[in-house]
Amino acid sequence: MRTSTKIKFRLKQSQALAGKKMLPIKQLQTIYSARWRCQSLQRVAGVVCLFLATLSSALGAENRTALIIGNADYSESPLKNPGNDARDMADALEQIGFDTTLVIDVDRRQMGKSIRDFGRKLRKRGGVGLFYYAGHGMQIDNRNYLIPVDSPMEEEDEVPYESVDVGSVLAKMESAGNALNVIILDACRNNPFPSQFRSSSRGLARVEAPIGSLVVYSTAPGSVADDGDGRNGIFTGHLLEQLRTPGLSLQETVRRTRAAVVKATERAQVPWESSSLLIDIAFTKPLAVKALQPNPEPAAPKAKPVTVINKKPEEAEDVEKLIAAKSFRTLTVKATPADARVRIMNIAAPYTPGIELDPSNTYDVYVTHNDYQAWRETISLTKANNELHVVLTPRNEAHELAGIKSKKQQPIVNNNPLTPALSRIRGGRFSMGCSSGDVTCEAYEKPAVNVTVEDFRMGQTEVTVGQFKRFVKASGYVTDAEKNAGGFKGCYVYRDVGGISRSTAKWNWDKSSSWKNPGFKQSDLHPVTCVSWNDALAYTQWLTRHTGVAYRLPTEAEWEFAARAGSTTRFQTGNSPDGLCASGNGADKTVSPKGSRWASHASCADNHWFSAPVATYAANPYELHDMQGNVWEWVEDTWTVNHNNAAIDGQANISGDPNKRVLRGGGWDGGTQQQRLSARRLGQVASRTSMIGFRVVSDK
């Protein structure tokens, strides 16, 4: 990336962020040139970059202001750790240069005054603002509230008047006009109020971060965090460790904290963030080493720690004029590796470099590569010819940091052929059924109903051929396909005639087909198919007997809660189907081995016509793979024609015909309609096809 193109993108951002402390164009060129050169060297040779410290200072970020609030002494549901958390955070932030204000166990009036004073101080000092809160928090109608001590509220409609709206904190910080704002909310503990508070039991809702800000949650939206058994809460304890680690940027501090919490809680707690940062800064104390400077050039004034990159003569032009000559409506994403896939998830048009966009909107940018950890962030356009640089982290590096083995090595199957790997899922309240704004929903996906599920564990993948094979060998079980149950012989399979579309494809009952031979090549790593609901039930019963742990099929509510993982959109990746080839296996532009094409398909290709090995596609936030596509999955519930009588406690609805059960998730042959999170279909208990499988859950 040449210097001039980077400066065109960054200059206006930097000037807006720097406020009155405007830098000369040449100095900005020096800083950003060194940043990208040093990042490249860091990937190759492990060079330590100190450019962030220079950039922080240059943009006025030397002024750091923090407000820390810890509420623990509640009359109902007092907490153990928020006071310690707040005090320790104040100490840690002071060590890295923050002017901190600490308040403990305050009522609403005192909280409001502290936030108001914080905003005034931030407006006066500029630089970086940080707000930290530990204590009770709750969401009502998708708005987040921080609960003061001695709160008199007794009814849900009193919450907005007797607590502090997180949105007001965001507004106060945004109006200060400083360079960068950070909000950290360790406010997702247990519900402090009686059961009549219908909406308050499951943590906080996601908040979109205003431009130039970062909002960090101690756990995923809609989930509850652990208050911890030691001095600090789980999240804050690990955050404090990272704040004491020298040489970390702000975003790296957050990323490392998340990885540590995920590992410590066995993925039960996943810290979350909403970011619209335009820059990153050196956050913790700098490393006590000097940067290695390849191809040294004379340093620019006031920027000694960075390297000056040779510039072409034309790059000395007035950058302001270059910017003015460009459209303010374009976006180009430069990714490393260069063949990474770039998508903008909340628009229908496919991404192309220099795509024209409406600068009044925000855009959900999603960058993926098979061998790298996905990158996703909501961004806003500034008045510049925008160019966004994204460097993906190799999957094995990200997983090692979190204590997880590389997904590409398939440890889920190879290391334990008997017991499926499970994700621990904290229960919660969610809307089951037709996603908000989805006009394509079928009648049997309606109405959307509020359902609460308890904690459970779910298989990270569908049960595989290898796992099912172990069951058959140990038990001598004969499947419904093999004994021609239900009046049909064998399994209902697809025969690829070639040169045809799905609408005229050959789907037939084949007496020679079963889970061993579903009509296409498979390995032990593929999801088992041609299994009936009866077969799936028999597997869970056998697994329970041989492990001593109770296994079962998921309820329909558990399945959808796990598939959504906090999402309210049509698909896990948003309302647009453009990202489906990264998250699931369905009908797409892939051509079959004999040249067939799907008549209805997603506008992408994943090179899997039939089922794909489990964990081929990206996991959702609960580390669950293939919740969209690959194979339809049996659940415990009997079929209902709508959700009018859904069990709102998350239990299985078994009031219907016991011979008719529910299937969820879509299969490898399904178009985008079948891969929606609310999609469901009817299956007879003895029916079996080459696109139906299952996964298991356990209560412990």
Side-chain angles (χ1 to χ4, degrees):
M1 173 58 54
R2 290 189 174 90
T3 303
S4 62
T5 55
K6 290 193 294 290
I7 301 307
K8 295 171 198 174
F9 166 55
R10 296 293 187 183
L11 177 61
K12 281 289 185 179
Q13 289 182 348
S14 302
Q15 290 175 341
L17 291 170
K20 296 180 180 180
K21 299 190 177 183
M22 192 69 67
L23 290 177
I25 292 172
K26 289 184 178 180
Q27 188 170 345
L28 285 170
Q29 287 176 325
T30 300
I31 293 170
Y32 286 119
S33 298
R35 171 179 182 169
W36 296 113
R37 169 68 67 88
C38 197
Q39 282 186 338
S40 299
L41 290 169
Q42 190 175 36
R43 291 193 299 274
V44 175
V47 175
V48 178
C49 296
L50 298 182
F51 70 89
L52 284 173
T54 302
L55 181 58
S56 300
S57 177
L59 295 179
E62 70 276 14
N63 287 334
R64 299 183 171 197
T65 309
L67 172 61
I68 299 97
I69 298 177
N71 285 341
D73 191 18
Y74 294 91
S75 57
E76 293 186 32
S77 300
L79 294 170
K80 175 184 177 182
N81 291 320
N84 296 334
D85 291 341
R87 294 183 182 92
D88 293 348
M89 279 294 297
D91 290 340
L93 291 174
E94 286 179 355
Q95 292 298 315
I96 58 175
F98 277 88
D99 179 355
T100 63
T101 299
L102 172 66
V103 290
I104 302 292
D105 292 332
V106 287
D107 60 20
R108 184 180 183 277
R109 184 188 64 81
Q110 292 170 313
M111 285 182 69
K113 182 179 184 303
S114 298
I115 294 168
R116 191 161 48 250
D117 293 343
F118 173 56
R120 291 169 179 167
K121 190 174 184 180
L122 194 58
R123 186 180 299 110
K124 181 179 180 180
R125 302 184 78 236
V128 177
L130 188 147
F131 174 83
Y132 171 89
Y133 175 84
H136 279 308
M138 59 196 295
Q139 60 167 297
I140 302 290
D141 295 330
N142 214 38
R143 294 188 70 86
N144 295 323
Y145 298 93
L146 308 180
I147 311 302
V149 298
D150 299 328
S151 176
M153 55 185 157
E154 297 180 0
E155 301 291 340
E156 183 173 296
D157 57 6
E158 297 173 2
V159 172
Y161 306 101
E162 300 295 342
S163 60
V164 174
D165 190 336
V166 172
S168 67
V169 182
L170 280 165
K172 187 67 67 175
M173 297 177 75
E174 187 178 20
S175 66
N178 55 304
L180 185 151
N181 288 311
V182 181
I183 290 184
I184 302 174
L185 301 175
D186 195 356
C188 306
R189 295 174 169 91
N190 59 298
N191 173 17
F193 299 104
S195 59
Q196 63 261 32
F197 283 76
R198 300 183 304 275
S199 306
S200 63
S201 60
R202 301 309 303 179
L204 302 182
R206 175 168 179 149
V207 175
E208 291 299 328
I211 187 169
S213 62
L214 172 69
V215 182
V216 182
Y217 309 82
S218 60
T219 191
S223 299
V224 175
D226 195 338
D227 194 30
D229 296 323
R231 174 178 172 81
N232 299 113
I234 297 294
F235 168 80
T236 296
H238 287 288
L239 175 58
L240 289 168
E241 290 180 10
Q242 301 309 319
L243 291 177
R244 295 164 184 145
T245 302
L248 300 184
S249 70
L250 171 60
Q251 291 181 327
E252 189 174 14
T253 301
V254 174
R255 180 176 64 84
R256 285 173 174 252
T257 301
R258 177 169 54 247
V261 173
V262 168
K263 182 178 180 181
T265 63
E266 298 180 337
R267 307 177 193 172
Q269 184 174 333
V270 182
W272 211 261
E273 65 185 278
S274 177
S275 171
S276 62
L277 293 180
L278 301 177
I279 61 169
D280 200 359
I281 63 167
F283 198 57
T284 64
K285 288 184 176 181
L287 293 169
V289 295
K290 294 184 178 180
L292 300 179
Q293 297 184 350
N295 303 323
E297 298 284 344
K302 300 181 182 180
K304 292 182 179 180
V306 300
T307 306
V308 177
I309 308 300
N310 287 329
K311 300 182 290 295
K312 294 184 177 180
E314 63 268 21
E315 292 175 353
E317 297 181 54
D318 187 337
V319 180
E320 292 273 21
K321 293 181 180 179
L322 288 175
I323 293 173
K326 293 289 185 180
S327 167
F328 296 161
R329 300 172 175 268
T330 63
L331 174 66
T332 296
V333 179
K334 294 289 187 178
T336 302
D339 60 342
R341 185 180 182 190
V342 179
R343 281 161 287 178
I344 303 177
M345 306 303 295
N346 58 340
I347 65 173
Y351 165 81
T352 54
I355 186 172
E356 292 192 6
L357 301 170
D358 182 352
S360 65
N361 295 331
T362 58
Y363 296 94
D364 182 3
V365 181
Y366 189 39
V367 184
T368 59
H369 190 286
N370 287 340
D371 298 324
Y372 293 78
Q373 195 81 357
W375 179 96
R376 189 172 186 177
E377 189 168 305
T378 299
I379 68 165
S380 300
L381 296 179
T382 57
K383 290 185 177 181
N385 183 30
N386 285 353
E387 194 159 278
L388 180 65
H389 292 257
V390 176
V391 179
L392 299 183
T393 302
R395 283 189 181 275
N396 57 350
E397 177 182 327
H399 290 155
E400 286 171 4
L401 184 61
I404 305 169
K405 292 186 178 180
S406 171
K407 296 287 190 299
K408 194 172 183 181
Q409 297 173 0
Q410 301 294 346
I412 291 171
V413 176
N414 293 339
N415 290 351
N416 198 336
L418 175 62
T419 307
L422 304 176
S423 283
R424 181 184 177 190
I425 299 174
R426 292 289 181 91
R429 190 169 183 261
F430 79 110
S431 179
M432 183 175 76
C434 185
S435 303
S436 177
D438 187 356
V439 297
T440 66
C441 289
E442 305 289 349
Y444 41 81
E445 302 169 32
K446 301 176 181 179
V449 293
N450 290 327
V451 177
T452 300
V453 299
E454 299 298 327
D455 297 357
F456 62 100
R457 294 179 183 266
M458 174 174 273
Q460 293 179 0
T461 72
E462 295 138 342
V463 173
T464 66
V465 172
Q467 290 165 344
F468 197 80
K469 184 187 296 181
R470 176 73 175 267
F471 152 60
V472 170
K473 182 178 180 181
S475 66
Y477 182 80
V478 179
T479 63
D480 281 346
E482 294 170 291
K483 59 187 179 185
N484 299 324
F488 296 98
K489 295 182 178 180
C491 182
Y492 196 66
V493 299
Y494 172 90
R495 295 300 182 189
D496 187 5
V497 177
I500 60 176
S501 68
R502 177 187 170 194
S503 58
T504 56
K506 297 292 184 180
W507 284 92
N508 290 308
W509 288 95
D510 181 5
K511 63 181 181 181
S512 66
S513 294
S514 68
W515 68 273
K516 301 174 184 177
N517 174 28
F520 51 83
K521 292 182 179 180
Q522 62 178 8
S523 70
D524 282 356
L525 303 182
H526 281 72
V528 66
T529 61
C530 287
V531 287
S532 67
W533 187 88
N534 296 327
D535 299 332
L537 181 64
Y539 176 86
T540 63
Q541 292 171 343
W542 170 83
L543 196 59
T544 297
R545 291 194 303 271
H546 283 265
T547 63
V549 176
Y551 286 91
R552 56 180 174 81
L553 295 176
T555 70
E556 186 170 14
E558 288 171 337
W559 190 97
E560 187 169 329
F561 180 83
R564 287 192 178 279
S567 170
T568 60
T569 52
R570 296 174 69 209
F571 310 100
Q572 173 54 229
T573 51
N575 284 317
S576 170
D578 293 345
L580 288 181
C581 283
S583 59
N585 177 26
D588 53 45
K589 291 184 177 181
T590 301
V591 179
S592 80
K594 293 188 177 181
S596 297
R597 292 172 172 80
W598 299 115
S600 175
H601 56 74
S603 57
C604 54
D606 61 8
N607 299 318
H608 287 285
W609 179 266
F610 297 108
S611 70
V614 298
T616 295
Y617 302 86
N620 75 3
Y622 290 153
E623 289 294 319
L624 303 176
H625 297 268
D626 305 314
M627 297 299 284
Q628 295 175 153
N630 219 18
V631 296
W632 286 93
E633 299 176 14
W634 291 111
V635 298
E636 191 174 344
D637 301 57
T638 56
W639 174 255
T640 55
V641 295
N642 54 48
H643 286 316
N644 282 329
N645 297 316
I648 61 173
D649 60 357
Q651 299 299 307
N653 186 342
I654 54 174
S655 61
D657 185 345
N659 291 315
K660 297 178 180 179
R661 301 286 172 165
V662 179
L663 289 158
R664 298 300 301 259
W668 49 263
D669 70 319
T672 58
Q673 179 73 357
Q674 294 184 19
Q675 293 189 62
R676 294 173 303 112
L677 296 175
S678 62
R680 59 198 295 263
R681 63 183 294 181
L682 164 67
Q684 299 286 341
V685 293
S687 62
R688 58 272 178 190
T689 80
S690 59
M691 57 180 177
I692 292 179
F694 67 100
R695 75 177 70 215
V696 299
V697 301
S698 173
D699 294 316
K700 295 184 178 180

